[in-house]
Amino acid sequence: MNSMMKSIWLAGAAALVMAGCTTTQPTETATGATKKLVRTGVYVGKGPYGSGCCEWVRMLNQAPEISLTLLDEEAVQNGALDKLDLLVMPGGSSPAIKRGLGTNGTERIKAFIRKGGGYLGTCAGCCLLMDPVYDPSRGIGVIPFYRAGSKGQTKLSVKLTPAGQKALGLSENIYGLRYSHGPVLEPSTNKFPESKFEVWGVNNGDFMKPGAKPEMMGR
């Protein structure tokens, strides 16, 4: 993962264009060998809103290691994930995303993840994977967490776990992160046998200005 992609993860992200277009093609290295690109899809169908989609597309389109495709709900339902390595789900409304995808679309996303596909979800994109028992309109049951509400806007201190530092290639373990009405993940009592995940970082308290709530600590 290069420095630009690390910045994307730490700063929050961004994307918009038309569903189904591919913007990057495989390239050759200086030695003439074909460089394998990460086939990445950004979901721009029903549910995401704000500048998130536009910023994700803008940033990923600049990454030389990314082959970018834009997807709507019909593309997901028709099997477009079979040709991807990574699905990016921007913020917006997770209930609207879930409704738009329908059972067919959500089951295809779950199957994609079970088969080893990558999923990067910010804000509502994260909420989409959560335990639906606590809010049936929101999650599809991939990770054993639920959304304990949003807590306004602030700048947090985030503490990376050793696994997070290693995965992101970062030497320090404390970083400032802008937080805006995102989910606060609480562990669920339910277990999903096929769910394999590790925590890369947790809220470490207030950072630079007031706003962090005590219940966000360690989440």
Side-chain angles (χ1 to χ4, degrees):
M1 182 178 290
N2 65 20
S3 59
M4 190 199 78
M5 295 303 291
K6 295 169 189 171
S7 298
I8 290 174
W9 182 88
L10 290 170
L16 190 176
V17 181
M18 296 172 67
C21 68
T22 300
T23 56
T24 310
Q25 296 297 327
T27 58
E28 291 187 354
T29 65
T31 61
T34 300
K35 182 179 180 180
K36 185 177 181 180
L37 301 180
V38 180
R39 301 171 301 172
T40 302
V42 176
Y43 182 76
V44 293
K46 297 176 181 177
Y49 57 78
S51 63
C53 285
C54 296
E55 288 301 303
W56 269 123
V57 169
R58 181 184 62 80
M59 290 191 292
L60 293 175
N61 199 36
Q62 296 177 20
E65 66 270 43
I66 296 293
S67 172
L68 183 60
T69 300
L70 306 185
L71 311 170
D72 61 9
E73 60 278 3
E74 291 185 6
V76 174
Q77 293 162 357
N78 291 329
L81 298 183
D82 295 340
K83 298 179 180 179
L84 297 181
D85 302 306
L86 171 67
L87 173 63
V88 176
M89 186 65 72
S93 167
S94 52
I97 295 172
K98 185 177 180 179
R99 288 194 304 271
L101 288 166
T103 301
N104 179 16
T106 58
E107 287 300 316
R108 285 184 181 271
I109 289 177
K110 292 168 71 172
F112 172 72
I113 295 171
R114 284 197 298 267
K115 292 176 182 177
Y119 181 98
L120 199 165
T122 55
C123 207
C126 171
C127 292
L128 184 69
L129 296 192
M130 295 191 296
D131 188 343
V133 170
Y134 301 88
D135 186 350
S137 72
R138 193 176 298 277
I140 63 175
V142 175
I143 55 175
F145 292 90
Y146 68 96
R147 177 182 182 272
S150 62
K151 306 296 178 181
Q153 299 184 56
T154 187
K155 192 170 185 181
L156 298 173
S157 170
V158 173
K159 183 176 183 179
L160 300 182
T161 64
Q165 284 182 268
K166 181 179 179 181
L168 297 168
L170 299 175
S171 58
E172 303 295 329
N173 69 339
I174 302 293
Y175 290 88
L177 179 69
R178 178 177 175 270
Y179 173 89
S180 179
H181 303 286
V184 176
L185 301 186
E186 295 279 356
S188 168
T189 56
N190 295 313
K191 304 299 179 184
F192 302 105
E194 296 177 324
S195 176
K196 296 179 181 180
F197 67 94
E198 59 186 12
V199 175
W200 285 3
V202 297
N203 292 328
N204 195 44
D206 199 8
F207 183 84
M208 294 184 66
K209 67 179 184 178
K213 308 298 189 297
E215 61 268 29
M216 298 173 74
M217 284 289 290
R219 297 294 180 243

